Amino acid sequence: MKPKLAVAPLSQWNVPLREKFFVAGPCSVESKDQILQVALHLSAYDVTVLRGGIWKPRTHPGSFEGVGAKGLPWLKNAGLAAGLPVTTETATAHHVEQCLKAGIDILWIGARTTTNPFAVQEIAEAVKGVDIPIMIKNPMNADLELWIGAIERISNAGITKIIAVHRGFSTYGHSAYRNPPVWRIPIELRRRMPHLPLICDPSHICGSRKRIPTVAQEALDFLFDGLMIEVHCAPDNALSDASQQLTPKQYGRLLGRLRYPCGADPNLLSPAVQVLRKEIDAIDDDLIALLARRMECVEQIGLWKRDHNVSLFQLERWEQVLHDRVQSSVQRHLSESFVRDLFEHIHEEALSLQEKIPQAPLGGGQEREPGVGFADDGREDELNELVSKN
Ligand code: PEP
Ligand code: MN
């Protein structure tokens, strides 16, 4: 078993927390005045840390890539003027050195950097022996182990104040989100590292202002410890991420409207909820028994397919199953995407079970009739041998 990480809960961070841990500020520090103005406006609301990107990772060269190190004192002074600690993104050891020199209070590791263990290790080496909190965004791709790996590297460097940030995952093609959230990944992170503070960045998930409230609320409903939200005094003129930044006023309004649910002590649940939970436990047992029975049928069919040399995957049958299940689930008000996902999983497992059915031995020298099964017990070994020789 791996040793537990020594991470400090937010209550030990020496930052005054009102409702939650709120990181707010512009995508990028653009000028001394821009960051000062936004910091002063934000100080009217619940903000824990002022953010501002100094070095900006951009998809295409030639876009605004941040003001660079000269912006560090602008950010620090804006924070001092507003009475807020400040944070910026660091992607290299040199960034870290410059931030430490400039008195930046908290560092963050961006999604592109978390994706690359070389870069994370370089940052880990650079912070060894320094007591500075670090926020670690999830990697670009939906890979929990890579995210945990980055957290471990930073923790192994002796950093105890760590926050994980869910900012969604990169995707190809059309999506309602810039980086769709995959809630089960941060939820699994929470299960594996219950003491690790976890916040959500709805700005980079949404990519546009419109859905930020919905995603922020979802995160709070999943008991995230806070939010990171991009705020700019004139969002439409922002030099980066213009469409996803809120004005300070919109930020204040958003925080005022969100609900802040708290975790429930299981002993304090109402009797009605306890009865419902029992019912859910019983339904889940039934579901498992039904799934087991379904897979038994699948195996029987698999034997027949094997003996008749029929392909495991049957496109028409699969299309029919998917269509029918989706139809009946819609009638029962279940979401189509959920039922699709569920049956895709079930189908994949069914195919994999049939794949595992051993080929039946045919007996010495027997000829195989066309279309009547390979029935050659050694066939798989034989095939694998083809590629094991030089
Ligand atoms: C940012 O916070 O400005 C940023 C670049 O975020 P991410 O690493 O999540 O893309
Ligand atoms: Mn941004």
Side-chain angles (χ1 to χ4, degrees):
M1 223 176 73
K2 282 190 187 173
K4 270 216 272 176
L5 296 188
V7 289
L10 282 177
S11 52
Q12 291 172 15
W13 274 51
N14 295 335
V15 279
L17 281 186
R18 276 190 264 167
E19 200 65 70
K20 292 270 175 180
F21 193 94
F22 292 122
V23 184
C27 177
S28 304
V29 171
E30 298 170 4
S31 69
K32 200 183 202 170
D33 191 51
Q34 172 255 6
I35 187 67
L36 180 63
Q37 287 311 316
V38 73
L40 293 176
H41 278 92
L42 276 172
S43 60
Y45 307 108
D46 191 356
V47 178
T48 322
V49 182
L50 174 70
R51 65 154 279 159
I54 292 287
W55 301 278
K56 297 304 299 175
R58 308 308 299 278
T59 303
H60 295 285
S63 351
F64 173 67
E65 291 187 324
V67 292
K70 71 169 186 286
L72 289 169
W74 303 345
L75 175 62
K76 181 66 190 175
N77 289 333
L80 289 173
L84 292 170
V86 297
T87 182
T88 198
E89 174 174 350
T90 50
T92 65
H94 189 48
H95 290 165
V96 172
E97 277 162 36
Q98 289 170 294
C99 285
L100 294 177
K101 244 189 242 157
I104 300 301
D105 305 279
I106 299 178
L107 307 178
W108 95 70
I109 297 179
R112 290 153 194 80
T113 309
T114 306
T115 309
N116 178 359
F118 286 139
V120 177
Q121 191 56 39
E122 180 185 318
I123 293 172
E125 303 295 337
V127 294
K128 261 191 194 150
V130 183
D131 179 21
I132 190 162
I134 304 190
M135 298 188 282
I136 305 176
K137 294 211 181 187
N138 63 244
M140 297 295 282
N141 48 323
D143 184 337
L144 175 60
E145 297 310 324
L146 203 49
W147 196 5
I148 291 181
I151 294 163
E152 287 169 339
R153 285 176 196 279
I154 296 300
S155 167
N156 290 347
I159 301 293
T160 55
K161 292 181 185 141
I162 299 176
I163 294 186
V165 186
H166 182 38
R167 50 75 80 197
F169 299 99
S170 170
T171 180
Y172 179 71
H174 179 75
S175 163
Y177 300 98
R178 179 178 176 194
N179 294 290
V182 182
W183 297 110
R184 61 176 190 269
I185 292 188
I187 287 172
E188 174 62 9
L189 178 66
R190 163 84 8 124
R191 196 186 66 80
R192 306 246 292 256
M193 299 180 167
H195 304 296
L196 179 72
L198 174 64
I199 69 172
C200 177
D201 171 352
S203 307
H204 289 91
I205 287 178
C206 296
S208 72
R209 280 178 274 284
K210 221 173 55 214
R211 302 169 73 110
I212 289 177
T214 310
V215 172
Q217 187 61 64
E218 271 181 298
L220 296 175
D221 287 337
F222 294 147
L223 287 184
F224 277 58
D225 301 294
L227 300 169
M228 177 187 278
I229 295 190
E230 287 188 339
V231 182
H232 192 289
C233 288
D236 291 337
N237 302 328
L239 298 181
S240 59
D241 289 352
S243 53
Q244 72 190 31
Q245 305 203 55
L246 303 182
T247 62
K249 211 169 174 182
Q250 288 169 332
Y251 171 79
R253 234 184 283 147
L254 171 66
L255 258 53
R257 296 253 177 93
L258 291 170
R259 280 175 291 104
Y260 299 92
C262 52
D265 176 344
N267 300 317
L268 298 180
L269 290 175
S270 85
V273 170
Q274 294 189 26
V275 169
L276 287 168
R277 282 204 168 163
K278 283 229 162 70
E279 190 177 341
I280 285 180
D281 290 346
I283 292 172
D284 286 351
D285 274 348
D286 289 349
L287 277 176
I288 287 169
L290 285 171
L291 280 172
R293 175 68 196 128
R294 192 188 193 283
M295 292 307 167
E296 277 165 28
C297 297
V298 160
E299 282 193 279
Q300 295 299 316
I301 295 174
L303 287 169
W304 184 88
K305 283 180 181 166
R306 178 198 67 187
D307 293 341
H308 294 81
N309 195 26
V310 168
S311 65
L312 302 187
F313 178 56
Q314 302 283 317
L315 179 61
E316 275 155 46
R317 166 71 180 157
W318 169 231
E319 279 185 328
Q320 190 67 49
V321 167
L322 197 56
H323 173 267
D324 291 355
R325 303 312 177 257
V326 166
Q327 287 299 100
S328 56
S329 59
V330 168
Q331 281 160 15
R332 288 170 185 272
H333 308 292
L334 291 169
S335 98
E336 176 173 338
S337 63
F338 161 66
V339 173
R340 241 171 217 287
D341 276 0
L342 180 64
F343 276 90
E344 276 169 5
H345 275 302
I346 290 177
H347 183 238
E348 200 178 312
E349 175 66 8
L351 288 178
S352 131
L353 276 180
Q354 292 185 339
E355 183 71 46
K356 284 188 194 119
I357 296 175
Q359 295 296 327
L362 199 73
Q366 213 174 320
E367 288 284 310
R368 184 167 62 235
E369 279 179 47
V372 181
F374 285 115
D376 177 355
D377 204 24
R379 185 175 155 76
E380 206 176 303
D381 289 346
E382 231 175 78
L383 282 174
N384 289 337
E385 240 169 66
L386 287 178
V387 290
S388 64
K389 286 182 198 144
N390 283 330

